[in-house]
Amino acid sequence: MSKALDHIKILDFTHVQSGPTCTQLLAWMGADVIKVERPGVGDATRKQLVDVEGADSLYFTMLNHNKRSLTLNSKTESGKEVLERLVKTCDVLVENFAPGALDRMGFSWERIQELNPRMIMASVKGFGPGPYEDCKVYENVAQCAGGSASTTGFRDGLPLVTGAQIGDSGTGLHLAFGICAALLHREKTGRGQRVLAPMQDGVLNLCRVKLRDQQRLKAGPLKEYSQYGEGIPFGDATPRAGNDSGGGQPGRILKCKGWETDPDAYTYFITQAAVWQKICDVIGKPEWKEHPDYATPPARLPHLNEVFGAIEEWTMTKTKYEVMEICNPLDIPVGPILSMKELAEEPSLRETGTIVEVDHPERGPYLSVGCPVKLSDNDVVVERSPLLGEHSDEILSEVLGYSADEIAALREAGAV
Ligand code: COA
């Protein structure tokens, strides 16, 4: 079966997490992704957080499936020549070097356009144009600069970063979207273009509801925030809201049976207005159905601590799965707090390919997250990440037409 992007060649100059997330998605959509890495060194993550001595780390393997690896020193003369041929041959160049690194290598956007006007050049940078454009940026810096940290955590605690890698993987997703749009545009115009996904912009995009709340503050307190019910005045910026739900339906994380010893024995519980009567019955508070202090969503807002306190008294008598089993048939929205262990062992996620087991010659089998987007005509088989330089010869000969002697000369010159 043909795949969505199987006619597309990607010159993958990415490293660490943000860029590789993007090119892995494109590979899963069928693109031929040629990952270019420094000879003898490779992507720094190959040797970061090593758990099996001598083997590529999980950090690397889990971000670089379905790619081919070409080692190339693009700062040597013959290495530059190879890179030029790759630019002429490929459809998209994806990179997430520190600002200016590609220019210093001699591959500015202008030069790339000269070499291949159809080329799409896609970059992740920490910041867009402006005062911080020259900064190097990692995940947590992006979370802080994009508004996530200031709005995550509890009001009386430190700003917090989240476990979800919204700065790196989130920006990789944004970049993949931009590349697909640019590829479609090229079909009409025949021309490539630049695609830029700054990490700050990506995080802010995901924090959109918090900018919404910033503006709502002008109209008065944010009534769905717990601090409103607690009588605590609002400042001039969107505050941290603990586990309050971001929408108009109040929600909290509540303890379940076993919480004293199990750090994940919790459920998320949403008091959706449409099912309030059923919630009252389930938690044994039928009198709240008609009581003027509890019967309507606005009436409940000043009493949310009391309401969730009563719900928690009930959830503490049930496991998080029992809460789900009881509430789901009643359409009460709840969700167990699932640990990574539970997710890794969940059979239904294996069946859908959301979690896959992959074999690797250096490290044996390991688990990874499969393609999170499913296309009916794009069956994804997750293939292990390449070893450093594993496909150098095959790419140089098959894609670029180098002879065996020419490849030997490149190797002699330290270019591959
Ligand atoms: N051949 C020769 N040189 C190569 C090469 C190759 N195949 N691949 C990389 N290099 C060089 C680069 O040209 C650069 O050289 P220069 O500094 O002389 O210009 C050097 O290696 C290091 O690249 P750099 O991107 O600066 O890596 P770093 O480890 O110092 O910084 C980041 C890492 C992530 C902080 C930085 O790349 C960055 O800010 N990227 C953009 C934002 C981003 O994606 N952050 C999230 C990462 S998950």
Side-chain angles (χ1 to χ4, degrees):
M1 189 195 289
S2 76
K3 290 201 173 160
L5 297 180
D6 60 9
H7 56 306
I8 299 298
K9 274 200 175 2
I10 309 279
L11 168 47
D12 180 7
F13 232 149
T14 67
H15 64 156
V16 201
Q17 185 180 164
S18 63
T21 315
C22 166
T23 51
Q24 179 169 261
L25 286 168
L26 300 174
W28 282 337
M29 292 300 146
D32 179 10
V33 175
I34 299 171
K35 183 169 175 100
V36 177
E37 299 177 83
R38 255 180 299 185
V41 184
D43 187 325
T45 59
R46 283 188 187 267
K47 297 299 166 226
Q48 271 174 18
L49 311 177
V50 167
D51 60 324
V52 177
E53 212 45 57
D56 282 332
S57 71
L58 287 167
Y59 195 4
F60 178 84
T61 57
M62 291 177 73
L63 287 163
N64 290 285
H65 293 108
N66 299 66
K67 304 181 185 177
R68 300 199 279 174
S69 169
L70 163 70
T71 48
L72 183 70
N73 185 341
S74 53
K75 286 185 174 163
T76 63
E77 273 320 302
S78 46
K80 276 192 209 305
E81 251 177 65
V82 175
L83 192 55
E84 283 196 3
R85 281 164 81 157
L86 278 168
V87 170
K88 286 179 184 162
T89 311
C90 292
D91 300 278
V92 187
L93 184 161
V94 191
E95 64 92 21
N96 67 314
F97 289 129
L102 214 53
D103 292 343
R104 286 193 287 279
M105 222 182 264
F107 288 86
S108 63
W109 170 227
E110 292 69 29
R111 177 76 186 125
I112 284 169
Q113 277 175 301
E114 266 171 34
L115 292 169
N116 179 0
R118 287 177 59 80
M119 168 66 77
I120 289 158
M121 180 172 148
S123 307
V124 169
K125 294 288 168 262
F127 294 92
Y132 305 120
E133 64 186 313
D134 291 332
C135 297
K136 285 188 176 181
V137 169
Y138 283 106
E139 170 70 47
N140 288 350
V141 176
Q143 288 198 25
C144 293
S148 177
S150 69
T151 53
T152 302
F154 287 89
R155 189 180 34 76
D156 49 1
L158 284 177
L160 286 182
V161 293
T162 72
Q165 304 286 282
I166 57 176
D168 281 340
S169 290
T171 307
L173 269 165
H174 285 102
L175 191 70
F177 157 71
I179 290 170
C180 290
L183 282 167
L184 285 173
H185 192 240
R186 192 182 72 171
E187 279 181 15
K188 290 194 293 189
T189 64
R191 290 196 61 77
Q193 59 182 303
R194 278 202 84 163
V195 179
L196 173 66
M199 295 168 77
Q200 183 183 42
D201 300 34
V203 172
L204 185 53
N205 182 38
L206 299 174
C207 292
R208 180 171 293 264
V209 298
K210 300 297 178 181
L211 184 60
R212 173 200 69 193
D213 293 349
Q214 177 64 39
Q215 297 170 86
R216 288 174 59 230
L217 273 174
K218 285 195 198 114
L222 305 171
K223 293 185 177 167
E224 76 283 9
Y225 280 51
S226 294
Q227 83 176 71
Y228 170 73
E230 291 160 6
I232 295 164
F234 283 77
D236 59 4
T238 308
R240 292 188 272 289
N243 291 318
D244 291 345
S245 74
Q249 309 286 349
R252 298 254 180 107
I253 288 184
L254 305 176
K255 291 171 186 160
C256 291
K257 200 182 203 170
W259 67 274
E260 299 90 337
T261 51
D262 177 355
D264 298 309
Y266 292 85
T267 187
Y268 203 87
F269 198 108
I270 298 177
T271 54
Q272 195 202 7
V275 290
W276 175 244
Q277 311 251 331
K278 293 179 191 172
I279 294 172
C280 293
D281 284 335
V282 164
I283 65 169
K285 290 276 186 197
E287 66 276 16
W288 278 2
K289 288 196 248 183
E290 306 300 335
H291 192 294
D293 283 351
Y294 306 97
T296 65
R300 286 195 289 278
L301 286 175
H303 307 290
L304 287 182
N305 281 354
E306 192 191 350
V307 166
F308 281 109
I311 300 173
E312 191 169 54
E313 271 181 39
W314 175 75
T315 57
M316 282 164 70
T317 67
K318 309 275 177 265
T319 68
K320 60 189 177 188
Y321 296 109
E322 287 166 347
V323 171
M324 185 91 171
E325 274 159 30
I326 295 167
C327 292
N328 247 356
L330 300 172
D331 285 336
I332 301 171
V334 293
I337 307 304
L338 295 179
S339 68
M340 275 299 144
K341 183 172 186 295
E342 287 166 318
L343 288 164
E345 292 167 357
E346 172 56 44
S348 66
L349 296 179
R350 301 290 184 99
E351 273 159 34
T352 55
T354 301
I355 292 197
V356 289
E357 189 172 292
V358 186
D359 207 0
H360 189 277
E362 290 175 340
R363 54 177 308 119
Y366 64 93
L367 289 185
S368 196
V369 182
C371 184
V373 189
K374 275 85 173 168
L375 273 65
S376 58
D377 280 358
N378 195 97
D379 191 29
V380 176
V381 177
V382 178
E383 287 164 13
R384 71 165 172 84
S385 58
L387 303 177
L388 180 59
E390 184 175 349
H391 305 97
S392 293
D393 287 17
E394 131 189 344
I395 292 164
L396 290 167
S397 62
E398 285 170 22
V399 179
L400 300 178
Y402 280 93
S403 68
D405 286 349
E406 287 170 323
I407 294 173
L410 286 171
R411 203 154 265 133
E412 183 76 12
V416 294

